[in-house]
Amino acid sequence: MMVRLLLRRVREHRVLFAASLLAGVVGTTVLSTLFAFGTAVGDTGLRRVLGERSAGPASLVVSADVPRERLGAAHRAVVAGAGRVFDGLPVSVRRLERSGPYALPAPAGAAAGDRPD
């Protein structure tokens, strides 16, 4: 009984029903398009801002107690790790070597065997 009444009303007002269905489809399409556009604009703006910024403030501090004969391998490992951490962005690595017992900085022109302590 209820289904018959519903079908009769839909047949009587089929133009109104079709118009409301079309309005729903058009509204959904417009909202989906605006959402996609807003997302694309936000992503583009974020990429532009991040692309113009210098990566200078970002830093990665690594400290380790490494024997002198393994410093080269440790330096290569840090450079490779920094490249992975910063996802392929240009990376510069600075070394600060200190002596073990007193944590004194190594002199600028020191040879490999010179120990400040």
Side-chain angles (χ1 to χ4, degrees), residues 1-111:
M1 178 84 168
M2 189 70 156
V3 174
R4 216 184 280 165
L5 177 66
L6 183 66
L7 289 176
R8 190 175 346 142
R9 292 216 173 199
V10 167
R11 262 185 262 149
E12 289 175 7
H13 301 290
R14 64 181 165 255
V15 175
L16 183 61
F17 182 71
S20 64
L21 188 63
L22 182 65
V25 169
V26 168
T28 302
T29 304
V30 167
L31 286 176
S32 298
T33 304
L34 286 175
F35 178 76
F37 176 73
T39 303
V41 167
D43 288 347
T44 303
L46 182 63
R47 288 177 195 273
R48 182 173 292 162
V49 167
L50 290 178
E52 291 174 359
R53 283 188 59 194
S54 170
S59 63
L60 175 67
V61 178
V62 178
S63 62
D65 188 16
V66 180
R68 187 167 284 286
E69 56 273 357
R70 295 189 49 202
L71 280 177
H75 180 71
R76 286 189 299 275
V78 167
V79 170
R84 282 192 308 272
V85 166
F86 291 112
D87 198 25
L89 291 173
V91 174
S92 64
V93 176
R94 291 187 217 147
R95 291 171 38 172
L96 175 64
E97 295 179 25
R98 295 181 178 260
S99 65
Y102 300 112
L104 298 171

